[in-house]
Amino acid sequence: MTRLRNQKSKLNCENCPSQGAGVFCDLESLELQEVSQHKVTNTYKKGQTLFVQGNHPYGLYCVSSGNIKLSKVGADGKESIVRIVSPGDVIGHRSLFTDDFYGATATALDETKVCFLDKKFIMKVIKEKPSVSMHIIEKLSRDMGAAENKISSYHQKNVRERLAELFLVLKESHGEKLEDGSYHINLKLTREEMATMIGTASETLIRFISEFKDAGLIAQEGKTIYITNEEELLDWADLPNQ
Amino acid sequence: METKKRQTLFPYDEVNPSVIQSLCNIGEIHHYDTSGQLFYEGQTPIVAFILLKGHIQLIKNRRVKKVLQGGEILGLWELMNNAPSHYTANILDNSDVCFLDKSTIFEIIRESGDPPLIDEFVRPVLQKIIFSGHQDHRVT
């Protein structure tokens, strides 16, 4: 018989790659240790699901590294991505507070390290540590702002403007500035995934991506996208207050 | 498929029904209409699962190695020891499961005044945590 070889090496909150961006980052060392001891850390491979739309919420997921897509599947079976979650973000908090079933499916877009805290523990921490509550409120507010922007984009903007806006959003969340002033988007999305994020068909998206490339706004190498002309992109996105 | 049942997986795989009932009064019971993944091989389950009705398949290398029946507990040892599971657990449709998260298990350990629960659940859990390095939980 083979022995169960190892206990998994635990990711300590104090050494978390997302340090500074997470909801627990303002906690003192001892308090962080308590969180570290209680959490369950798992690595999800690309395509593995953390939770599924319609399932019961277990607790709060805190993303340490990697990216996760939150997608909803409609009655027609079509998937639409509602949010991309990055290191430092939390997921599952909305269902946790409302006691609703998960409203979306969370799927790893690349190898992703995620820490899980059960509902009772997170509720205890929230009650005892106002900084955690404030961070969660801040996240919820940002999510709500993003959702409101998305709704207004769908109503007020055409596909070209929505695509330009998507590139700018991805630049903010996953952009890495290169020496030549362009930005490398450090997130690989399929055309289908990008299409669902702006509510259009893949064919339409492909047509507009070609247009963006021809105009020198973006460049592409395989699935990797570079923002080459941010100013023009801002113009095309027709963002308010620009 | 599994034959040497008692020395496999987890020593709580079949628990006294009265203990199961006590645990269900504490944990959350949920119904699965459709099948779904509970956790993947190599991961630590985020909660322990008490299967009340239906089936859970334990899968390795795309093969079903064992099918759990009602009254069996899954993932408790791994959860409390931060250990990876050797299997992917797939719950089948029309199954009822009681979730026991870490906080609830610690609560049971701390506060349980129910003698059968202490004898059949709390004490073995504590022993397993203490002697975790010496246990073998693989299906042979």
Side-chain angles (χ1 to χ4, degrees):
Chain A
M1 298 224 286
T2 318
R3 279 188 180 280
L4 196 150
R5 264 182 295 165
N6 58 327
Q7 280 190 298
K8 290 199 313 190
S9 60
K10 237 181 169 176
L11 178 71
N12 197 309
C13 290
E14 284 178 293
N15 308 322
C16 180
S18 74
Q19 177 70 290
V23 294
F24 302 107
C25 292
D26 286 346
L27 293 182
E28 300 293 325
S29 179
L30 262 175
E31 296 158 350
L32 270 182
Q33 264 180 32
E34 196 191 341
V35 175
S36 293
Q37 278 166 8
H38 198 87
K39 70 184 182 178
V40 175
T41 306
N42 278 317
T43 302
Y44 292 82
K45 292 177 191 158
K46 182 182 177 182
Q48 288 189 335
T49 52
L50 284 78
F51 54 79
V52 177
Q53 182 178 345
N55 274 6
H56 329 280
Y58 302 96
L60 188 79
Y61 296 83
C62 198
V63 184
S64 171
S65 62
N67 295 287
I68 292 164
K69 68 173 177 183
L70 284 178
S71 58
K72 277 177 184 277
V73 177
D76 55 358
K78 274 188 187 169
E79 181 199 52
S80 49
I81 296 177
V82 290
R83 197 153 60 98
I84 302 284
V85 185
S86 320
D89 273 338
V90 289
I91 43 174
H93 48 301
R94 205 174 54 80
S95 300
L96 195 69
F97 295 122
T98 57
D99 244 352
D100 289 339
F101 292 150
Y102 286 127
T105 298
T107 311
L109 284 170
D110 37 41
E111 189 161 290
T112 304
K113 199 165 253 186
V114 182
C115 299
F116 171 83
L117 288 162
D118 62 67
K119 188 177 176 175
K120 278 183 186 165
F121 182 80
I122 196 74
M123 290 305 187
K124 179 179 148 272
V125 174
I126 285 172
K127 277 178 194 157
E128 291 172 359
K129 309 289 169 206
S131 73
V132 175
S133 322
M134 290 310 290
H135 278 302
I136 291 177
I137 290 169
E138 190 188 322
K139 297 255 178 221
L140 284 167
S141 307
R142 284 182 195 279
D143 292 350
M144 197 168 174
E148 284 170 357
N149 284 343
K150 206 166 184 180
I151 293 168
S152 65
S153 282
Y154 279 136
H155 285 281
Q156 295 163 5
K157 292 185 176 182
N158 58 37
V159 177
R160 183 186 287 107
E161 289 166 342
R162 295 208 296 267
L163 182 59
E165 194 176 7
L166 173 66
F167 286 135
L168 290 168
V169 168
L170 291 176
K171 188 220 107 188
E172 284 303 314
S173 59
H174 293 85
E176 289 173 355
K177 196 166 186 176
L178 303 176
E179 282 179 1
D180 63 0
S182 65
Y183 288 88
H184 164 234
I185 307 285
N186 193 15
L187 177 70
K188 286 178 181 168
L189 293 169
T190 63
R191 285 165 176 172
E192 290 74 21
E193 285 168 340
M194 283 170 65
T196 68
M197 289 174 82
I198 57 167
T200 191
S202 299
E203 298 78 10
T204 313
L205 177 101
I206 291 165
R207 197 156 43 84
F208 279 109
I209 282 183
S210 297
E211 192 185 321
F212 278 53
K213 282 197 277 190
D214 292 344
L217 273 63
I218 63 161
Q220 210 177 0
E221 275 176 28
K223 279 186 193 171
T224 309
I225 290 169
Y226 298 89
I227 307 290
T228 47
N229 189 343
E230 190 190 356
E231 258 181 52
E232 193 70 11
L233 208 53
L234 279 164
D235 201 30
W236 283 37
D238 194 23
L239 292 175
N241 307 323
Q242 292 297 319
Chain B
M1 295 283 277
E2 173 56 16
T3 48
K4 294 180 186 173
K5 205 170 183 183
R6 296 311 303 177
Q7 41 173 290
T8 59
L9 260 168
F10 189 72
Y12 310 103
D13 55 356
E14 280 174 9
V15 183
N16 184 334
S18 69
V19 172
I20 294 280
Q21 187 54 52
S22 302
L23 293 173
C24 289
N25 292 340
I26 301 163
E28 279 184 45
I29 299 172
H30 294 289
H31 178 75
Y32 281 79
D33 282 328
T34 55
S35 64
Q37 225 98 53
L38 295 178
F39 52 84
Y40 296 95
E41 183 183 343
Q43 294 184 344
T44 304
I46 55 174
V47 292
F49 304 90
I50 305 173
L51 182 61
L52 303 172
K53 192 186 106 183
H55 299 92
I56 295 174
Q57 294 176 327
L58 299 181
I59 299 165
K60 195 174 178 71
N61 298 328
R62 295 181 185 178
R63 288 189 179 172
V64 177
K65 296 286 185 182
K66 184 176 165 80
V67 179
L68 302 186
Q69 317 266 343
E72 295 187 275
I73 298 183
L74 175 67
L76 180 60
W77 184 86
E78 289 85 351
L79 174 67
M80 299 312 284
N81 289 284
N82 189 40
S85 165
H86 291 294
Y87 304 93
T88 293
N90 186 30
I91 189 159
L92 301 187
D93 54 353
N94 201 23
S95 296
D96 288 341
V97 185
C98 175
F99 298 161
L100 287 176
D101 57 39
K102 243 183 191 179
S103 295
T104 306
I105 294 165
F106 283 132
E107 248 172 47
I108 295 170
I109 291 170
R110 233 178 9 242
E111 295 165 12
S112 179
D114 182 354
L117 203 60
I118 294 172
D119 285 342
E120 291 205 34
F121 185 81
V122 176
R123 203 163 286 145
V125 168
L126 287 173
Q127 281 168 359
K128 287 296 150 189
I129 294 167
I130 294 163
F131 298 112
S132 60
H134 306 287
Q135 299 300 316
D136 178 18
H137 297 277
R138 299 191 78 173
V139 172
T140 48

